[in-house]
């Protein structure tokens, strides 16, 4: 069970859109549409942003969206705002009641 | 409002056992609608799922940690706990407890996390 692969960092200017990728294998991301995404400001509790691939919990902005193609899931944030600057982590169900996270991506709003 | 709070020693010696408790308030740990999990983040690294438990006591562990991990639940105290034995410096991390709805494959409420260092 290897960690999912995320870019170490992405950046964008206010108002732009960014996409963070999360690449796994046919044993996790590719087999299940069960990827979740978390926003994490240092020192705070992580916040659920997307679950089951593309579902937003109540209260999460509709600027946030999730998708999947093959073994890669993606998180897109449109209309980038300063408050979006944080670390983002993906997680996938990996079968047999186990889960695997990605290495995390630092989003910088320029 | 549901709250989760991790507690336990912040410093553990190598080869000893790391023990943490997660206290749940504002909701019942005995609800059939949720699993309860432990997740850690070593300094400068990503999150790692450690394991999860159901109120009935059924447990699910990360295969890479399974031989060293025990998660248990105490419904009378509305708490669940983590024990990680034979620790090394590589186990130094921020440890989070979190709630996992059975109908949403994700963790929807998290504790603030607690940093546990492994050092002599």
């Amino acid at each position: 069970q290897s960690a999912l692969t995320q870019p170490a960092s992405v950046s964008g200017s206010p108002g732009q859109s960014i996409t963070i990728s999360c690449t796994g294998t046919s044993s996790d991301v590719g087999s299940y549409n069960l990827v979740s995404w978390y926003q994490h400001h240092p020192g705070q509790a992580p916040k659920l942003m997307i679950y089951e691939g593309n579902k937003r919990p109540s209260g999460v902005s509709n600027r946030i969206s999730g998708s999947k193609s093959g073994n890669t899931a993606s998180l897109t944030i449109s209309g980038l705002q300063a408050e979006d600057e944080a670390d983002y982590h993906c997680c996938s169900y990996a079968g047999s009641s186990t889960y695997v996270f990605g290495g995390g991506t630092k989003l910088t709003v320029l | 409002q549901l709250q989760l709070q991790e507690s336990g020693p912040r410093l553990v010696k190598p080869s000893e056992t790391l023990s943490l408790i997660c206290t749940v308030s504002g909701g019942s740990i005995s609800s059939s609608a949720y699993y309860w999990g432990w997740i850690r983040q070593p300094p400068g690294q990503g999150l790692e799922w450690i394991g999860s438990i159901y109120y009935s006591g059924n447990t699910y562990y990360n295969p890479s940690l399974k031989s060293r991990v025990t998660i248990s639940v105490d419904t009378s105290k509305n708490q669940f706990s983590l024990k990680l034995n034979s620790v090394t410096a590589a186990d130094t991390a921020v440890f989070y407890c979190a709630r996992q709805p059975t109908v949403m494959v994700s963790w929807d409420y998290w504790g603030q996390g607690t940093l546990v260092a492994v050092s002599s």
Side-chain angles (χ1 to χ4, degrees), chain A residues 9-110:
Chain A
S9 63
V10 299
S11 62
S13 299
Q16 289 185 332
S17 294
I18 63 94
T19 297
I20 299 172
S21 61
C22 171
T23 300
T25 69
S26 57
S27 297
D28 38 62
V29 176
S31 286
Y32 310 96
N33 198 20
L34 295 175
V35 173
S36 52
W37 289 90
Y38 303 86
Q39 178 191 61
H40 191 194
H41 289 105
Q44 297 184 21
K47 177 185 176 183
L48 176 64
M49 306 299 279
I50 291 286
Y51 68 99
E52 295 175 3
N54 57 9
K55 299 176 182 177
R56 278 190 310 273
S58 174
V60 172
S61 170
N62 59 10
R63 299 185 296 108
I64 307 296
S65 62
S67 63
K68 191 189 89 164
S69 178
N71 295 338
T72 298
S74 298
L75 176 76
T76 297
I77 305 176
S78 59
L80 209 56
Q81 300 177 359
E83 68 203 48
D84 297 326
E85 184 162 296
D87 296 328
Y88 290 83
H89 302 270
C90 63
C91 179
S92 176
Y93 181 67
S96 301
S97 300
T98 66
Y99 302 86
V100 60
F101 279 90
T105 298
K106 181 177 178 58
L107 169 61
T108 300
V109 180
L110 302 170

